[in-house]
Amino acid sequence: MKTAVLTGGSKGIGYGVASMLVEKGYKVIASYAHDDAAAHEAALRLGGNAIFSKADHSVRSQTYAFAQLVREQAPDGIDCVICNAGTTVRKDFTDTTDEDWDKMMEVAVTGHVILLRELFDIINSGSRIIFTGSAMGCHPHATVLGYGVTKGAIHALVKNLVKVFEPKSTTVNAVAPGFVDTEWQKNKPEEIRRNICNKTAIHRFSSIDEIVSAYAFCLDNAFVNGSVIEIDGGYNYK
């Protein structure tokens, strides 16, 4: 059985990817930050093929601890790493503190660099590494500058890691979703949801399954490498 590592796997896109990986026959080792109930429910739904470990990737020691857990749980190495964890701090630019900025960068960028570095020697030849980017890394973010910058950094990281993982014949890609109908988006006021829909040519949010299919594509196609796959419904910043 192949082994996949997934950060931020208990809800939303992360849980959708975990489900897809289990369906493809992977054992999944996933982290989650805070919601114990959601992780417990996710583990029950996915059965014995998924392990959920609490790790807040804004705390560097917890990222190192998660890497150690992965090493213990993957004696035959890793075949897939999904770098999905991310966070945002919704404040105006001038109100954003050093701590806010550091937290966003640590979770989305630095934590994943550490994880890949610490697991490098047990990532098997021919593996897949897939990051969760964002349309907000391609277009200006209307609300949170820091979130868009972290996603832009992920897109650049993908292209730079291609050479790092070339000797392992391992591909590195990112899926860059637009607005997805996750729990977070469903709880937004209806007026804000309408404004978002008006910015896409399809005039709706994506389903989680529509985004997850892009991760499956990156898993199945060995020639896709160094790509940032935008799935945004024809998003147009206006």
Side-chain angles (χ1 to χ4, degrees):
M1 177 181 283
K2 291 184 176 182
T3 298
V5 176
L6 167 63
T7 62
S10 63
K11 296 192 233 179
I13 293 172
Y15 176 74
V17 171
S19 300
M20 177 269 292
L21 289 166
V22 168
E23 288 176 7
K24 284 182 170 291
Y26 284 82
K27 170 188 173 182
V28 177
I29 307 169
S31 68
Y32 71 98
H34 304 295
D35 194 333
D36 296 328
H40 179 69
E41 179 63 25
L44 288 176
R45 289 198 297 265
L46 296 177
N49 291 323
I51 299 168
F52 286 85
S53 176
K54 194 169 188 177
D56 180 349
H57 294 294
S58 70
V59 181
R60 192 165 297 184
S61 61
Q62 294 189 33
T63 297
Y64 278 102
F66 180 65
Q68 182 57 39
L69 172 75
V70 170
R71 298 185 75 89
E72 294 167 359
Q73 294 290 331
D76 297 322
I78 301 164
D79 304 285
C80 175
V81 183
I82 309 290
C83 299
N84 175 65
T87 193
T88 186
V89 179
R90 298 180 70 82
K91 293 182 180 178
D92 290 339
F93 175 63
T94 53
D95 293 329
T96 302
T97 66
D98 292 352
E99 291 75 18
D100 296 333
W101 184 271
D102 290 345
K103 180 179 181 179
M104 287 186 280
M105 290 298 295
E106 186 75 24
V107 175
V109 184
T110 309
H112 288 131
V113 169
I114 290 170
L115 189 64
L116 291 172
R117 185 191 66 204
E118 293 301 299
L119 299 178
F120 185 87
D121 63 308
I122 63 168
I123 295 175
N124 294 326
S125 178
S127 293
R128 301 283 184 267
I129 298 170
I130 309 171
F131 284 80
T132 298
S134 174
M136 298 302 97
C138 306
H139 303 278
H141 195 298
T143 306
V144 183
L145 180 146
Y147 179 80
V149 170
T150 66
K151 295 301 185 178
I154 284 171
H155 299 171
L157 185 60
V158 161
K159 295 183 181 297
N160 282 274
L161 284 174
V162 165
K163 286 296 182 184
V164 174
F165 283 92
E166 180 181 1
K168 287 180 172 281
S169 300
T170 289
T171 61
V172 187
N173 294 288
V175 175
F179 290 91
V180 186
D181 223 6
T182 59
E183 179 182 326
W184 165 254
Q185 297 293 352
K186 288 178 180 178
N187 289 331
K188 285 184 175 178
E190 189 57 36
E191 181 181 358
I192 293 177
R193 286 177 59 87
R194 281 197 303 270
N195 288 340
I196 291 170
C197 290
N198 288 336
K199 294 177 183 177
T200 66
I202 299 180
H203 300 297
R204 65 172 176 84
F205 285 71
S206 167
S207 71
I208 290 174
D209 286 346
E210 286 171 322
I211 302 302
V212 170
S213 66
Y215 292 82
F217 172 70
C218 292
L219 281 174
D220 294 339
N221 192 317
F223 201 68
V224 180
N225 198 16
S227 295
V228 177
I229 301 173
E230 296 182 50
I231 309 178
D232 59 15
Y235 181 83
N236 212 342
Y237 182 77
K238 58 183 179 179

